[in-house]
Structure formats: C-alpha cells, structure tokens
Amino acid sequence: KHRFLRIIFSLQMLDGDSTDYMFLDLDFNSEEQDSSKRLEIARLIRKKHPGTQVVGICDFKDKSITERAAGHGIDKVVTRPIKNRELLEAID
C-alpha cells in the first residue's frame, strides 16, 4: 500500500509546477516490476520538467544501479541511511 501511495504522489508531481529537485525511492530490492515503474516515473518527470534534477534513493549502490538510474534520467543516487554529506553532494 505504501509503495502504491509513493508512486501516486510521484505521478502527481508531473501535473504540478517544476521543482529544482525530486527525490525518488528506487528500492531496487523490491519486485522488478516496481523498480521499472519507478524508473519510468523518473523518465516522465525529466521529460515534462527537464530542469528538475532527479535524485534516486536506494538501499545499496553499485555501478549497475547507477548506470540503470542514469539511463532513465536520474542524476544522482544516494543510499540509506542518508548521510547529510551525501545529500548535500547530490544537490550541489
């Protein structure tokens, strides 16, 4: 239920005004279909709001996740637990 609500909220961003940053929970540990939906949301956000930087949040980061995210318009990926330094670097 919570994942569904996060996806709905993200889709509502598409109809709103542009923002400087959008943080999107990638959660690549979940079902592949959910991960694909989240990546598609990132692509749609970038298409409608090209000036918005999309930052992905996930449980772990490796090169394949970063490459997959970048291929869908996600500028940076930060990992949980989110560290202030890492967050500041993502929005710098």
Side-chain angles (χ1 to χ4, degrees):
K1 182 177 179 180
H2 294 286
R3 288 185 184 144
F4 178 74
L5 292 175
R6 284 186 285 202
I7 290 171
I8 294 298
F9 177 73
S10 297
L11 290 173
Q12 289 173 346
M13 280 288 301
L14 289 172
D15 294 328
D17 293 333
S18 179
T19 62
D20 292 332
Y21 299 95
M22 169 74 173
F23 292 85
L24 188 62
D25 185 359
L26 299 177
D27 194 12
F28 282 134
N29 288 332
S30 66
E31 293 181 28
E32 183 67 27
Q33 187 175 15
D34 277 352
S35 297
S36 296
K37 286 179 186 176
R38 291 184 178 132
L39 291 172
E40 179 64 13
I41 289 169
R43 190 189 66 74
L44 292 171
I45 290 168
R46 290 305 297 265
K47 183 176 179 181
K48 183 156 184 181
H49 303 289
T52 297
Q53 290 191 17
V54 181
V55 179
I57 301 171
C58 62
D59 291 332
F60 61 94
K61 180 167 66 171
D62 64 29
K63 188 175 179 180
S64 66
I65 290 174
T66 304
E67 289 173 355
R68 188 171 171 200
H72 287 81
I74 296 174
D75 299 292
K76 301 206 177 162
V77 176
V78 296
T79 56
R80 289 184 198 88
I82 299 171
K83 298 166 190 71
N84 289 339
R85 177 184 43 80
E86 192 176 12
L87 186 59
L88 290 172
E89 288 173 3
I91 62 173
D92 187 22

mmCIF file of all heavy atoms in Angstrom, residues 56-92:
data_model
loop_
_atom_site.group_PDB
_atom_site.id
_atom_site.type_symbol
_atom_site.label_atom_id
_atom_site.label_comp_id
_atom_site.label_asym_id
_atom_site.label_seq_id
_atom_site.Cartn_x
_atom_site.Cartn_y
_atom_site.Cartn_z
ATOM 1 N N GLY A 56 17.844 9.638 -6.971
ATOM 2 C CA GLY A 56 17.308 8.347 -6.552
ATOM 3 C C GLY A 56 17.818 7.959 -5.177
ATOM 4 O O GLY A 56 18.957 8.258 -4.820
ATOM 5 N N ILE A 57 16.967 7.310 -4.407
ATOM 6 C CA ILE A 57 17.327 6.821 -3.078
ATOM 7 C C ILE A 57 17.150 5.311 -3.080
ATOM 8 O O ILE A 57 16.094 4.805 -3.481
ATOM 9 C CB ILE A 57 16.440 7.456 -1.990
ATOM 10 C CG1 ILE A 57 16.585 8.973 -2.011
ATOM 11 C CG2 ILE A 57 16.790 6.884 -0.614
ATOM 12 C CD1 ILE A 57 15.582 9.696 -1.126
ATOM 13 N N CYS A 58 18.181 4.587 -2.642
ATOM 14 C CA CYS A 58 18.076 3.131 -2.609
ATOM 15 C C CYS A 58 18.845 2.570 -1.415
ATOM 16 O O CYS A 58 19.543 3.300 -0.713
ATOM 17 C CB CYS A 58 18.553 2.510 -3.916
ATOM 18 S SG CYS A 58 20.272 2.807 -4.295
ATOM 19 N N ASP A 59 18.701 1.278 -1.189
ATOM 20 C CA ASP A 59 19.327 0.635 -0.044
ATOM 21 C C ASP A 59 20.809 0.373 -0.246
ATOM 22 O O ASP A 59 21.561 0.301 0.704
ATOM 23 C CB ASP A 59 18.621 -0.685 0.289
ATOM 24 C CG ASP A 59 17.228 -0.440 0.836
ATOM 25 O OD1 ASP A 59 17.004 0.625 1.432
ATOM 26 O OD2 ASP A 59 16.362 -1.315 0.656
ATOM 27 N N PHE A 60 21.232 0.194 -1.464
ATOM 28 C CA PHE A 60 22.646 -0.032 -1.752
ATOM 29 C C PHE A 60 22.958 0.547 -3.122
ATOM 30 O O PHE A 60 22.070 0.754 -3.935
ATOM 31 C CB PHE A 60 22.999 -1.525 -1.706
ATOM 32 C CG PHE A 60 22.258 -2.344 -2.717
ATOM 33 C CD1 PHE A 60 22.825 -2.621 -3.956
ATOM 34 C CD2 PHE A 60 20.985 -2.838 -2.450
ATOM 35 C CE1 PHE A 60 22.146 -3.374 -4.902
ATOM 36 C CE2 PHE A 60 20.297 -3.595 -3.391
ATOM 37 C CZ PHE A 60 20.873 -3.859 -4.618
ATOM 38 N N LYS A 61 24.217 0.854 -3.339
ATOM 39 C CA LYS A 61 24.594 1.451 -4.620
ATOM 40 C C LYS A 61 25.763 0.675 -5.204
ATOM 41 O O LYS A 61 26.741 0.402 -4.530
ATOM 42 C CB LYS A 61 24.967 2.919 -4.430
ATOM 43 C CG LYS A 61 25.377 3.622 -5.700
ATOM 44 C CD LYS A 61 25.441 5.122 -5.574
ATOM 45 C CE LYS A 61 26.487 5.639 -4.661
ATOM 46 N NZ LYS A 61 26.639 7.097 -4.727
ATOM 47 N N ASP A 62 25.625 0.316 -6.434
ATOM 48 C CA ASP A 62 26.752 -0.234 -7.172
ATOM 49 C C ASP A 62 26.683 0.328 -8.584
ATOM 50 O O ASP A 62 25.741 1.036 -8.941
ATOM 51 C CB ASP A 62 26.780 -1.769 -7.137
ATOM 52 C CG ASP A 62 25.590 -2.417 -7.817
ATOM 53 O OD1 ASP A 62 25.026 -1.824 -8.759
ATOM 54 O OD2 ASP A 62 25.230 -3.536 -7.426
ATOM 55 N N LYS A 63 27.679 0.028 -9.370
ATOM 56 C CA LYS A 63 27.770 0.617 -10.703
ATOM 57 C C LYS A 63 26.551 0.309 -11.568
ATOM 58 O O LYS A 63 26.060 1.158 -12.298
ATOM 59 C CB LYS A 63 29.047 0.132 -11.388
ATOM 60 C CG LYS A 63 29.348 0.815 -12.673
ATOM 61 C CD LYS A 63 30.678 0.380 -13.245
ATOM 62 C CE LYS A 63 30.918 1.079 -14.561
ATOM 63 N NZ LYS A 63 32.169 0.704 -15.167
ATOM 64 N N SER A 64 26.011 -0.904 -11.463
ATOM 65 C CA SER A 64 24.868 -1.267 -12.306
ATOM 66 C C SER A 64 23.616 -0.460 -11.942
ATOM 67 O O SER A 64 22.856 -0.071 -12.828
ATOM 68 C CB SER A 64 24.577 -2.766 -12.212
ATOM 69 O OG SER A 64 24.154 -3.122 -10.920
ATOM 70 N N ILE A 65 23.427 -0.196 -10.660
ATOM 71 C CA ILE A 65 22.272 0.615 -10.249
ATOM 72 C C ILE A 65 22.436 2.042 -10.751
ATOM 73 O O ILE A 65 21.498 2.643 -11.290
ATOM 74 C CB ILE A 65 22.093 0.594 -8.718
ATOM 75 C CG1 ILE A 65 21.619 -0.791 -8.274
ATOM 76 C CG2 ILE A 65 21.119 1.675 -8.259
ATOM 77 C CD1 ILE A 65 21.537 -0.963 -6.777
ATOM 78 N N THR A 66 23.624 2.596 -10.581
ATOM 79 C CA THR A 66 23.876 3.965 -11.026
ATOM 80 C C THR A 66 23.684 4.093 -12.537
ATOM 81 O O THR A 66 23.063 5.046 -13.011
ATOM 82 C CB THR A 66 25.301 4.392 -10.623
ATOM 83 O OG1 THR A 66 25.439 4.229 -9.213
ATOM 84 C CG2 THR A 66 25.565 5.834 -10.980
ATOM 85 N N GLU A 67 24.197 3.128 -13.296
ATOM 86 C CA GLU A 67 24.038 3.165 -14.755
ATOM 87 C C GLU A 67 22.577 3.016 -15.160
ATOM 88 O O GLU A 67 22.102 3.705 -16.061
ATOM 89 C CB GLU A 67 24.877 2.065 -15.399
ATOM 90 C CG GLU A 67 26.362 2.331 -15.344
ATOM 91 C CD GLU A 67 27.198 1.160 -15.845
ATOM 92 O OE1 GLU A 67 26.628 0.084 -16.158
ATOM 93 O OE2 GLU A 67 28.423 1.320 -15.908
ATOM 94 N N ARG A 68 21.878 2.101 -14.508
ATOM 95 C CA ARG A 68 20.458 1.896 -14.825
ATOM 96 C C ARG A 68 19.660 3.157 -14.518
ATOM 97 O O ARG A 68 18.811 3.574 -15.307
ATOM 98 C CB ARG A 68 19.938 0.712 -14.013
ATOM 99 C CG ARG A 68 18.571 0.281 -14.383
ATOM 100 C CD ARG A 68 18.227 -1.016 -13.690
ATOM 101 N NE ARG A 68 16.830 -1.299 -13.886
ATOM 102 C CZ ARG A 68 16.128 -2.101 -13.138
ATOM 103 N NH1 ARG A 68 16.707 -2.749 -12.147
ATOM 104 N NH2 ARG A 68 14.852 -2.305 -13.372
ATOM 105 N N ALA A 69 19.941 3.772 -13.379
ATOM 106 C CA ALA A 69 19.243 5.002 -12.996
ATOM 107 C C ALA A 69 19.553 6.132 -13.969
ATOM 108 O O ALA A 69 18.649 6.848 -14.414
ATOM 109 C CB ALA A 69 19.632 5.389 -11.567
ATOM 110 N N ALA A 70 20.814 6.284 -14.326
ATOM 111 C CA ALA A 70 21.217 7.352 -15.251
ATOM 112 C C ALA A 70 20.544 7.190 -16.608
ATOM 113 O O ALA A 70 20.189 8.176 -17.257
ATOM 114 C CB ALA A 70 22.736 7.356 -15.411
ATOM 115 N N GLY A 71 20.327 5.965 -17.025
ATOM 116 C CA GLY A 71 19.666 5.713 -18.298
ATOM 117 C C GLY A 71 18.208 6.146 -18.325
ATOM 118 O O GLY A 71 17.598 6.237 -19.378
ATOM 119 N N HIS A 72 17.655 6.432 -17.148
ATOM 120 C CA HIS A 72 16.265 6.876 -17.056
ATOM 121 C C HIS A 72 16.154 8.314 -16.550
ATOM 122 O O HIS A 72 15.099 8.745 -16.105
ATOM 123 C CB HIS A 72 15.481 5.939 -16.136
ATOM 124 C CG HIS A 72 15.208 4.618 -16.775
ATOM 125 N ND1 HIS A 72 16.143 3.614 -16.815
ATOM 126 C CD2 HIS A 72 14.123 4.146 -17.429
ATOM 127 C CE1 HIS A 72 15.650 2.573 -17.443
ATOM 128 N NE2 HIS A 72 14.429 2.869 -17.839
ATOM 129 N N GLY A 73 17.257 9.047 -16.584
ATOM 130 C CA GLY A 73 17.209 10.468 -16.239
ATOM 131 C C GLY A 73 17.470 10.784 -14.786
ATOM 132 O O GLY A 73 17.255 11.913 -14.349
ATOM 133 N N ILE A 74 17.924 9.815 -14.007
ATOM 134 C CA ILE A 74 18.227 10.074 -12.599
ATOM 135 C C ILE A 74 19.662 10.582 -12.536
ATOM 136 O O ILE A 74 20.595 9.920 -12.980
ATOM 137 C CB ILE A 74 18.029 8.808 -11.746
ATOM 138 C CG1 ILE A 74 16.546 8.425 -11.793
ATOM 139 C CG2 ILE A 74 18.504 9.033 -10.318
ATOM 140 C CD1 ILE A 74 16.222 7.106 -11.121
ATOM 141 N N ASP A 75 19.811 11.783 -11.979
ATOM 142 C CA ASP A 75 21.113 12.446 -11.973
ATOM 143 C C ASP A 75 22.091 11.831 -10.977
ATOM 144 O O ASP A 75 23.260 11.659 -11.277
ATOM 145 C CB ASP A 75 20.942 13.939 -11.656
ATOM 146 C CG ASP A 75 20.081 14.622 -12.698
ATOM 147 O OD1 ASP A 75 20.533 14.732 -13.843
ATOM 148 O OD2 ASP A 75 18.951 15.033 -12.363
ATOM 149 N N LYS A 76 21.620 11.544 -9.789
ATOM 150 C CA LYS A 76 22.479 11.005 -8.735
ATOM 151 C C LYS A 76 21.704 9.981 -7.933
ATOM 152 O O LYS A 76 20.478 9.988 -7.900
ATOM 153 C CB LYS A 76 22.955 12.118 -7.812
ATOM 154 C CG LYS A 76 23.739 13.178 -8.563
ATOM 155 C CD LYS A 76 24.683 13.894 -7.699
ATOM 156 C CE LYS A 76 25.456 14.865 -8.581
ATOM 157 N NZ LYS A 76 26.094 15.887 -7.869
ATOM 158 N N VAL A 77 22.459 9.115 -7.257
ATOM 159 C CA VAL A 77 21.858 8.089 -6.395
ATOM 160 C C VAL A 77 22.495 8.204 -5.018
ATOM 161 O O VAL A 77 23.719 8.269 -4.899
ATOM 162 C CB VAL A 77 22.088 6.676 -6.968
ATOM 163 C CG1 VAL A 77 21.559 5.619 -6.014
ATOM 164 C CG2 VAL A 77 21.430 6.532 -8.332
ATOM 165 N N VAL A 78 21.665 8.270 -3.977
ATOM 166 C CA VAL A 78 22.150 8.249 -2.600
ATOM 167 C C VAL A 78 21.607 6.995 -1.921
ATOM 168 O O VAL A 78 20.592 6.445 -2.330
ATOM 169 C CB VAL A 78 21.742 9.512 -1.809
ATOM 170 C CG1 VAL A 78 22.385 10.753 -2.395
ATOM 171 C CG2 VAL A 78 20.237 9.677 -1.757
ATOM 172 N N THR A 79 22.332 6.545 -0.905
ATOM 173 C CA THR A 79 21.944 5.303 -0.232
ATOM 174 C C THR A 79 21.473 5.560 1.189
ATOM 175 O O THR A 79 21.851 6.550 1.817
ATOM 176 C CB THR A 79 23.125 4.319 -0.190
ATOM 177 O OG1 THR A 79 24.231 4.949 0.448
ATOM 178 C CG2 THR A 79 23.535 3.885 -1.583
ATOM 179 N N ARG A 80 20.632 4.642 1.651
ATOM 180 C CA ARG A 80 20.177 4.671 3.035
ATOM 181 C C ARG A 80 21.223 4.001 3.918
ATOM 182 O O ARG A 80 21.832 3.038 3.464
ATOM 183 C CB ARG A 80 18.866 3.901 3.180
ATOM 184 C CG ARG A 80 17.708 4.576 2.562
ATOM 185 C CD ARG A 80 16.450 3.744 2.871
ATOM 186 N NE ARG A 80 15.386 4.098 1.987
ATOM 187 C CZ ARG A 80 15.160 3.568 0.788
ATOM 188 N NH1 ARG A 80 15.919 2.618 0.325
ATOM 189 N NH2 ARG A 80 14.164 3.974 0.062
ATOM 190 N N PRO A 81 21.394 4.398 5.129
ATOM 191 C CA PRO A 81 20.826 5.627 5.702
ATOM 192 C C PRO A 81 21.479 6.846 5.047
ATOM 193 O O PRO A 81 22.682 6.847 4.770
ATOM 194 C CB PRO A 81 21.188 5.537 7.184
ATOM 195 C CG PRO A 81 22.376 4.651 7.251
ATOM 196 C CD PRO A 81 22.260 3.703 6.082
ATOM 197 N N ILE A 82 20.665 7.837 4.780
ATOM 198 C CA ILE A 82 21.142 9.013 4.058
ATOM 199 C C ILE A 82 22.001 9.863 4.991
ATOM 200 O O ILE A 82 21.579 10.217 6.085
ATOM 201 C CB ILE A 82 19.954 9.831 3.510
ATOM 202 C CG1 ILE A 82 19.157 8.971 2.540
ATOM 203 C CG2 ILE A 82 20.451 11.104 2.837
ATOM 204 C CD1 ILE A 82 17.855 9.587 2.098
ATOM 205 N N LYS A 83 23.189 10.148 4.534
ATOM 206 C CA LYS A 83 24.116 10.985 5.293
ATOM 207 C C LYS A 83 24.007 12.418 4.781
ATOM 208 O O LYS A 83 23.833 12.647 3.582
ATOM 209 C CB LYS A 83 25.543 10.468 5.123
ATOM 210 C CG LYS A 83 25.729 9.060 5.652
ATOM 211 C CD LYS A 83 27.039 8.483 5.145
ATOM 212 C CE LYS A 83 27.144 7.020 5.442
ATOM 213 N NZ LYS A 83 26.255 6.180 4.639
ATOM 214 N N ASN A 84 24.099 13.375 5.684
ATOM 215 C CA ASN A 84 23.981 14.785 5.296
ATOM 216 C C ASN A 84 24.954 15.146 4.189
ATOM 217 O O ASN A 84 24.603 15.822 3.225
ATOM 218 C CB ASN A 84 24.206 15.699 6.504
ATOM 219 C CG ASN A 84 23.062 15.642 7.477
ATOM 220 O OD1 ASN A 84 21.948 15.263 7.138
ATOM 221 N ND2 ASN A 84 23.325 16.026 8.711
ATOM 222 N N ARG A 85 26.197 14.683 4.307
ATOM 223 C CA ARG A 85 27.221 14.987 3.310
ATOM 224 C C ARG A 85 26.807 14.474 1.937
ATOM 225 O O ARG A 85 26.920 15.159 0.932
ATOM 226 C CB ARG A 85 28.558 14.382 3.737
ATOM 227 C CG ARG A 85 29.670 14.573 2.742
ATOM 228 C CD ARG A 85 30.963 13.857 3.169
ATOM 229 N NE ARG A 85 30.805 12.529 3.702
ATOM 230 C CZ ARG A 85 30.630 11.414 2.961
ATOM 231 N NH1 ARG A 85 30.586 11.501 1.659
ATOM 232 N NH2 ARG A 85 30.510 10.243 3.535
ATOM 233 N N GLU A 86 26.313 13.251 1.910
ATOM 234 C CA GLU A 86 25.915 12.642 0.646
ATOM 235 C C GLU A 86 24.724 13.386 0.029
ATOM 236 O O GLU A 86 24.662 13.598 -1.179
ATOM 237 C CB GLU A 86 25.556 11.167 0.891
ATOM 238 C CG GLU A 86 25.405 10.351 -0.352
ATOM 239 C CD GLU A 86 25.156 8.890 -0.062
ATOM 240 O OE1 GLU A 86 24.881 8.496 1.072
ATOM 241 O OE2 GLU A 86 25.216 8.107 -1.031
ATOM 242 N N LEU A 87 23.804 13.804 0.859
ATOM 243 C CA LEU A 87 22.647 14.558 0.388
ATOM 244 C C LEU A 87 23.067 15.912 -0.165
ATOM 245 O O LEU A 87 22.622 16.337 -1.231
ATOM 246 C CB LEU A 87 21.634 14.721 1.523
ATOM 247 C CG LEU A 87 20.307 15.362 1.163
ATOM 248 C CD1 LEU A 87 19.585 14.575 0.090
ATOM 249 C CD2 LEU A 87 19.444 15.503 2.402
ATOM 250 N N LEU A 88 23.953 16.590 0.538
ATOM 251 C CA LEU A 88 24.442 17.891 0.060
ATOM 252 C C LEU A 88 25.199 17.761 -1.255
ATOM 253 O O LEU A 88 25.058 18.615 -2.133
ATOM 254 C CB LEU A 88 25.323 18.547 1.121
ATOM 255 C CG LEU A 88 24.572 19.043 2.364
ATOM 256 C CD1 LEU A 88 25.563 19.501 3.434
ATOM 257 C CD2 LEU A 88 23.609 20.154 2.007
ATOM 258 N N GLU A 89 25.962 16.679 -1.415
ATOM 259 C CA GLU A 89 26.663 16.457 -2.680
ATOM 260 C C GLU A 89 25.674 16.207 -3.813
ATOM 261 O O GLU A 89 25.917 16.606 -4.949
ATOM 262 C CB GLU A 89 27.617 15.267 -2.544
ATOM 263 C CG GLU A 89 28.836 15.551 -1.711
ATOM 264 C CD GLU A 89 29.680 14.311 -1.463
ATOM 265 O OE1 GLU A 89 29.351 13.229 -1.990
ATOM 266 O OE2 GLU A 89 30.674 14.436 -0.730
ATOM 267 N N ALA A 90 24.565 15.574 -3.510
ATOM 268 C CA ALA A 90 23.567 15.267 -4.546
ATOM 269 C C ALA A 90 22.883 16.518 -5.058
ATOM 270 O O ALA A 90 22.492 16.589 -6.218
ATOM 271 C CB ALA A 90 22.526 14.296 -3.993
ATOM 272 N N ILE A 91 22.749 17.525 -4.205
ATOM 273 C CA ILE A 91 22.048 18.737 -4.633
ATOM 274 C C ILE A 91 23.005 19.885 -4.923
ATOM 275 O O ILE A 91 22.593 21.004 -5.148
ATOM 276 C CB ILE A 91 20.982 19.182 -3.609
ATOM 277 C CG1 ILE A 91 21.603 19.529 -2.272
ATOM 278 C CG2 ILE A 91 19.930 18.105 -3.468
ATOM 279 C CD1 ILE A 91 20.621 20.128 -1.292
ATOM 280 N N ASP A 92 24.294 19.604 -4.940
ATOM 281 C CA ASP A 92 25.287 20.638 -5.211
ATOM 282 C C ASP A 92 25.407 20.876 -6.694
ATOM 283 O O ASP A 92 25.413 20.078 -7.518
ATOM 284 C CB ASP A 92 26.639 20.221 -4.627
ATOM 285 C CG ASP A 92 27.644 21.334 -4.740
ATOM 286 O OD1 ASP A 92 27.253 22.509 -4.870
ATOM 287 O OD2 ASP A 92 28.842 21.015 -4.690
#
